[in-house]
Amino acid sequence: MAQHPRTSETETTPTTGRNNGLTRRNYVRSLAAVATAATSLGAAGTAAADDDYEVIEAEGQTISIDSGETWENKLIDMTTGQDIIVNAHGTDWTIRNVGFKGENTSGTGSATFGISDSDPSGSSTVENVYLGDGTDSRNGSSSGHGQTAFWVDPDHAGHIDFENVNIQGFADNAIYASAPGNAGGGTIHIDSSFAANCYVSHFRLATEGSKVTNSSVYVDDSGYQGRGIWAWAPGTVEVEGCQIEMNGHNVAIDAGANGNPTEVLVSDTDYDEVAGIGENAGSTVELEDDVGTDPDAFIPDGVPRSPEEAASGN
């Protein structure tokens, strides 16, 4: 079960706001037309009509991905009202071309994906994944904790690349990858990805060598209003080429937590000046000269806009 314990990472300043259904507003700009691309069919499940991806109906099952395996071209049907959990551990694994159709439903303290790379010299990959339909109204609690999209296990010791990932409307962190900072020490690179209207935070990192590049965060009044990027100790965390549009909600870049400081290096990025920057417990956020305060969040090229587009591997 991809549970994420919170005993070592306590959320101290949750925000308010419930997701009543995301609206496609002007933050989704310059959308390309959805093309059709044929890719290989998966090994199990129900084949889609055009035979370019596998449809898996959520039935409360857990799928495990082991070292060296590639799990790709899957459309996960969440309209069943059931849940599904995907665990990927070991090393040199790949999750690619996966789209979730319908709202995720699992309860407080769980995650859709539980992942780690156990080899300090190893590397694994998450690319072209759509989790843009969010979580349903049952997902959450009075403390603000609900389902996380990606939970990176504390034992993560290697490296994980995220690329072309779309996460919206989750009741907890979009990518919760700070736990290895106090344990396995593995690194995370989030590139060319989009996260919007999630709770607690959108991109949450902690280890030196971890970074967010060429990505956007968007928050409005329609969903959960979590931090843009949250850097935990020990760091240093890098932010480069990003647009963090918060519309005045929460904190755009937050550094440090639970009495532990960290450092964030920010370059070629625009952030919401009203939401601002948080420097906690002696943390520092260093802004290069090319950092501005007029963000214009967008979905980067290559990021899937629908479950079907992700699953078919456009």
Coordinates of all heavy atoms in Angstrom, one line a residue, residues 86-138:
V86 N -0.3 2.3 -7.6 CA 0.8 1.8 -8.4 C 2.1 2.1 -7.5 O 2.4 3.2 -7.2 CB 0.9 2.6 -9.7 CG1 2.1 2.0 -10.5 CG2 -0.4 2.5 -10.5
N87 N 2.8 1.0 -7.3 CA 4.1 1.0 -6.5 C 5.2 0.7 -7.5 O 5.2 -0.3 -8.2 CB 4.1 0.0 -5.4 CG 3.2 0.5 -4.3 OD1 3.0 1.6 -4.0 ND2 2.7 -0.5 -3.5
A88 N 6.2 1.6 -7.5 CA 7.4 1.3 -8.3 C 8.7 1.5 -7.5 O 8.9 2.6 -7.0 CB 7.5 2.2 -9.5
H89 N 9.4 0.4 -7.2 CA 10.6 0.5 -6.3 C 11.7 -0.3 -7.1 O 11.5 -0.7 -8.2 CB 10.2 -0.1 -5.0 CG 9.2 0.7 -4.2 ND1 9.4 2.0 -3.8 CD2 7.9 0.4 -4.0 CE1 8.3 2.4 -3.2 NE2 7.4 1.5 -3.3
G90 N 12.8 -0.5 -6.4 CA 13.9 -1.1 -7.1 C 14.7 0.0 -7.8 O 14.8 1.1 -7.3
T91 N 15.2 -0.3 -9.0 CA 15.9 0.7 -9.8 C 15.7 0.4 -11.3 O 15.3 -0.6 -11.7 CB 17.4 0.6 -9.5 OG1 18.1 1.7 -10.1 CG2 18.0 -0.7 -9.9
D92 N 16.0 1.5 -12.1 CA 15.9 1.4 -13.5 C 14.5 1.0 -14.0 O 14.4 0.3 -15.0 CB 17.0 0.4 -14.1 CG 17.1 0.5 -15.6 OD1 16.9 1.6 -16.1 OD2 17.4 -0.5 -16.2
W93 N 13.5 1.5 -13.4 CA 12.1 1.3 -13.8 C 11.6 2.5 -14.5 O 12.2 3.6 -14.4 CB 11.2 0.9 -12.7 CG 11.3 1.8 -11.5 CD1 11.9 1.6 -10.3 CD2 10.6 3.1 -11.4 NE1 11.8 2.7 -9.5 CE2 11.0 3.7 -10.1 CE3 9.8 3.9 -12.2 CZ2 10.5 4.9 -9.6 CZ3 9.4 5.1 -11.8 CH2 9.7 5.6 -10.5
T94 N 10.6 2.4 -15.4 CA 10.0 3.5 -16.1 C 8.5 3.4 -16.1 O 7.9 2.3 -16.3 CB 10.4 3.4 -17.6 OG1 11.9 3.5 -17.7 CG2 9.8 4.5 -18.4
I95 N 7.9 4.5 -15.8 CA 6.4 4.7 -15.9 C 6.2 5.7 -17.0 O 6.7 6.9 -16.9 CB 5.8 5.2 -14.6 CG1 5.9 4.2 -13.5 CG2 4.3 5.6 -14.8 CD1 5.6 4.7 -12.1
R96 N 5.5 5.3 -18.1 CA 5.4 6.2 -19.3 C 4.0 6.1 -19.9 O 3.5 5.0 -20.0 CB 6.5 5.8 -20.3 CG 6.5 6.5 -21.6 CD 7.4 5.9 -22.6 NE 8.8 5.9 -22.2 CZ 9.5 4.8 -22.2 NH1 9.0 3.6 -22.5 NH2 10.8 4.8 -21.9
N97 N 3.5 7.2 -20.4 CA 2.2 7.2 -21.1 C 1.1 6.6 -20.3 O 0.5 5.5 -20.7 CB 2.4 6.5 -22.4 CG 3.5 7.0 -23.3 OD1 3.9 8.2 -23.1 ND2 4.0 6.3 -24.3
V98 N 0.7 7.3 -19.2 CA -0.3 6.8 -18.3 C -1.3 7.9 -18.1 O -0.9 9.0 -17.7 CB 0.2 6.3 -17.0 CG1 -0.9 5.8 -16.1 CG2 1.2 5.1 -17.2
G99 N -2.6 7.7 -18.3 CA -3.6 8.7 -18.1 C -4.7 8.1 -17.2 O -5.1 7.0 -17.3
F100 N -5.1 9.0 -16.2 CA -6.2 8.6 -15.3 C -7.4 9.4 -15.6 O -7.5 10.6 -15.7 CB -5.7 9.0 -13.8 CG -4.7 8.0 -13.2 CD1 -3.4 8.1 -13.7 CD2 -5.1 7.1 -12.3 CE1 -2.5 7.2 -13.1 CE2 -4.2 6.2 -11.7 CZ -2.9 6.3 -12.2
K101 N -8.5 8.6 -15.9 CA -9.8 9.2 -16.4 C -10.7 9.2 -15.2 O -11.1 8.1 -14.7 CB -10.3 8.4 -17.6 CG -11.6 9.0 -18.1 CD -12.0 8.3 -19.4 CE -13.3 8.9 -20.0 NZ -13.7 8.2 -21.2
G102 N -11.1 10.3 -14.7 CA -12.0 10.4 -13.6 C -11.3 10.7 -12.3 O -10.0 10.7 -12.3
E103 N -12.0 11.1 -11.3 CA -11.4 11.5 -10.0 C -10.8 10.4 -9.2 O -11.5 9.3 -9.1 CB -12.4 12.3 -9.2 CG -12.8 13.6 -9.9 CD -14.0 14.3 -9.2 OE1 -14.8 13.6 -8.6 OE2 -14.0 15.6 -9.2
N104 N -9.6 10.6 -8.6 CA -9.1 9.6 -7.7 C -9.9 9.7 -6.4 O -10.3 10.7 -5.9 CB -7.6 9.9 -7.5 CG -6.7 9.5 -8.6 OD1 -6.0 8.6 -8.6 ND2 -6.9 10.2 -9.8
T105 N -10.0 8.5 -5.8 CA -10.9 8.4 -4.7 C -10.3 7.9 -3.3 O -11.0 7.8 -2.3 CB -12.0 7.4 -5.0 OG1 -11.5 6.1 -5.3 CG2 -12.8 7.9 -6.3
S106 N -9.1 7.5 -3.3 CA -8.5 6.9 -2.1 C -8.5 7.9 -1.0 O -8.4 9.1 -1.2 CB -7.1 6.3 -2.3 OG -6.2 7.4 -2.6
G107 N -8.5 7.4 0.3 CA -8.7 8.3 1.4 C -7.5 8.9 2.0 O -6.4 8.9 1.4
T108 N -7.7 9.5 3.1 CA -6.6 10.2 3.8 C -5.3 9.4 4.0 O -5.4 8.3 4.4 CB -7.1 10.7 5.1 OG1 -8.2 11.6 4.9 CG2 -6.0 11.5 5.9
G109 N -4.2 10.0 3.6 CA -2.9 9.4 3.9 C -2.4 8.4 2.9 O -1.4 7.7 3.1
S110 N -3.0 8.3 1.7 CA -2.6 7.4 0.7 C -2.1 8.2 -0.5 O -2.2 9.4 -0.6 CB -3.7 6.4 0.3 OG -4.8 7.1 -0.3
A111 N -1.6 7.4 -1.5 CA -1.1 8.1 -2.7 C -1.4 7.2 -3.9 O -1.5 6.0 -3.8 CB 0.5 8.2 -2.6
T112 N -1.6 7.8 -5.1 CA -1.8 7.1 -6.3 C -0.5 6.3 -6.7 O -0.6 5.1 -7.0 CB -2.2 8.0 -7.4 OG1 -3.4 8.7 -7.0 CG2 -2.5 7.3 -8.7
F113 N 0.6 7.0 -6.6 CA 1.9 6.3 -6.9 C 2.8 6.4 -5.7 O 3.0 7.5 -5.1 CB 2.6 7.1 -8.1 CG 2.0 6.9 -9.4 CD1 1.0 7.7 -9.9 CD2 2.5 5.8 -10.3 CE1 0.5 7.5 -11.2 CE2 1.9 5.7 -11.5 CZ 0.9 6.5 -12.0
G114 N 3.3 5.2 -5.3 CA 4.4 5.2 -4.3 C 5.7 4.7 -5.0 O 5.7 3.6 -5.6
I115 N 6.7 5.6 -5.0 CA 7.9 5.3 -5.8 C 9.2 5.5 -5.1 O 9.3 6.3 -4.1 CB 7.9 6.1 -7.1 CG1 7.9 7.6 -6.8 CG2 6.6 5.8 -8.0 CD1 8.0 8.5 -8.0
S116 N 10.2 4.9 -5.6 CA 11.6 5.1 -5.1 C 12.6 4.4 -6.0 O 12.2 3.4 -6.7 CB 11.8 4.6 -3.7 OG 11.7 3.2 -3.6
D117 N 13.8 4.9 -6.1 CA 14.9 4.2 -6.7 C 15.9 3.8 -5.6 O 16.5 4.7 -5.0 CB 15.6 5.0 -7.8 CG 16.5 4.2 -8.6 OD1 17.5 3.6 -8.1 OD2 16.3 4.1 -9.9
S118 N 16.1 2.5 -5.3 CA 16.9 2.1 -4.2 C 18.4 2.1 -4.4 O 19.1 1.9 -3.4 CB 16.4 0.7 -3.8 OG 16.6 -0.2 -4.9
D119 N 18.8 2.2 -5.6 CA 20.3 2.2 -5.9 C 20.9 3.6 -5.9 O 20.4 4.4 -6.7 CB 20.5 1.5 -7.3 CG 21.9 1.3 -7.7 OD1 22.8 1.9 -7.0 OD2 22.2 0.6 -8.6
P120 N 21.8 3.9 -5.0 CA 22.4 5.2 -5.0 C 23.0 5.7 -6.3 O 23.1 6.9 -6.6 CB 23.5 5.1 -3.9 CG 23.1 3.9 -3.1 CD 22.4 3.0 -4.0
S121 N 23.3 4.7 -7.2 CA 23.8 5.1 -8.5 C 22.8 4.9 -9.6 O 23.1 5.0 -10.8 CB 25.1 4.3 -8.8 OG 24.9 2.9 -8.8
G122 N 21.6 4.5 -9.2 CA 20.6 4.2 -10.2 C 19.7 5.4 -10.6 O 19.7 6.4 -9.9
S123 N 18.9 5.2 -11.6 CA 18.0 6.2 -12.1 C 16.7 5.6 -12.6 O 16.8 4.6 -13.3 CB 18.7 7.1 -13.1 OG 17.8 8.1 -13.6
S124 N 15.6 6.2 -12.3 CA 14.3 5.8 -12.9 C 13.5 7.0 -13.4 O 13.9 8.1 -13.2 CB 13.5 5.1 -11.7 OG 14.1 3.9 -11.3
T125 N 12.4 6.7 -14.2 CA 11.8 7.7 -15.0 C 10.3 7.7 -14.8 O 9.7 6.6 -14.9 CB 12.2 7.6 -16.4 OG1 13.6 7.6 -16.6 CG2 11.5 8.6 -17.3
V126 N 9.7 8.9 -14.7 CA 8.2 9.0 -14.8 C 8.0 10.1 -15.9 O 8.4 11.2 -15.8 CB 7.6 9.5 -13.5 CG1 6.1 9.8 -13.7 CG2 7.8 8.5 -12.4
E127 N 7.3 9.7 -17.0 CA 7.1 10.6 -18.1 C 5.7 10.5 -18.8 O 5.2 9.4 -18.9 CB 8.2 10.5 -19.1 CG 8.4 9.2 -19.8 CD 9.5 9.1 -20.8 OE1 10.2 10.2 -20.9 OE2 9.8 8.1 -21.4
N128 N 5.2 11.6 -19.2 CA 3.9 11.6 -19.9 C 2.8 11.0 -19.1 O 2.2 10.0 -19.6 CB 4.1 11.0 -21.3 CG 3.1 11.5 -22.3 OD1 2.9 12.7 -22.4 ND2 2.4 10.6 -23.0
V129 N 2.5 11.6 -18.0 CA 1.4 11.1 -17.1 C 0.4 12.2 -16.9 O 0.7 13.3 -16.6 CB 2.0 10.6 -15.8 CG1 0.9 10.2 -14.8 CG2 3.0 9.5 -16.0
Y130 N -0.9 11.8 -17.0 CA -2.0 12.7 -16.8 C -2.8 12.3 -15.5 O -3.3 11.2 -15.4 CB -2.9 12.7 -18.0 CG -4.1 13.6 -17.8 CD1 -4.1 15.0 -18.2 CD2 -5.3 13.2 -17.3 CE1 -5.2 15.8 -18.0 CE2 -6.4 14.0 -17.1 CZ -6.4 15.3 -17.5 OH -7.4 16.1 -17.3
L131 N -2.8 13.2 -14.5 CA -3.6 13.1 -13.3 C -4.4 14.4 -13.1 O -4.5 15.0 -12.1 CB -2.7 12.8 -12.1 CG -2.2 11.4 -12.0 CD1 -0.9 11.4 -11.1 CD2 -3.2 10.5 -11.4
G132 N -4.9 14.9 -14.3 CA -5.5 16.2 -14.2 C -7.0 16.3 -13.8 O -7.6 17.3 -13.7
D133 N -7.6 15.1 -13.6 CA -9.0 15.1 -13.1 C -9.2 15.2 -11.6 O -10.3 15.3 -11.1 CB -9.7 13.8 -13.6 CG -9.9 13.8 -15.2 OD1 -9.6 14.9 -15.8 OD2 -10.2 12.8 -15.7
G134 N -8.0 15.1 -10.9 CA -8.0 15.4 -9.5 C -8.6 14.3 -8.6 O -8.7 13.2 -9.0
T135 N -9.0 14.8 -7.4 CA -9.6 13.8 -6.4 C -11.0 14.3 -6.1 O -11.4 15.4 -6.3 CB -8.8 13.8 -5.1 OG1 -8.7 15.2 -4.6 CG2 -7.4 13.3 -5.3
D136 N -11.9 13.3 -5.7 CA -13.3 13.6 -5.5 C -13.5 14.3 -4.2 O -12.6 14.4 -3.3 CB -14.1 12.4 -5.7 CG -14.1 11.4 -4.6 OD1 -13.4 11.6 -3.6 OD2 -14.6 10.3 -4.8
S137 N -14.8 14.7 -3.9 CA -15.1 15.5 -2.8 C -15.0 14.7 -1.5 O -14.9 15.3 -0.4 CB -16.5 16.0 -2.9 OG -17.5 15.0 -3.0
R138 N -14.9 13.4 -1.5 CA -14.7 12.6 -0.3 C -13.3 12.5 0.1 O -13.0 12.1 1.2 CB -15.2 11.1 -0.6 CG -16.7 11.0 -0.9 CD -17.0 9.6 -1.4 NE -16.3 9.3 -2.7 CZ -16.3 8.2 -3.3 NH1 -16.9 7.1 -2.7 NH2 -15.8 8.0 -4.4

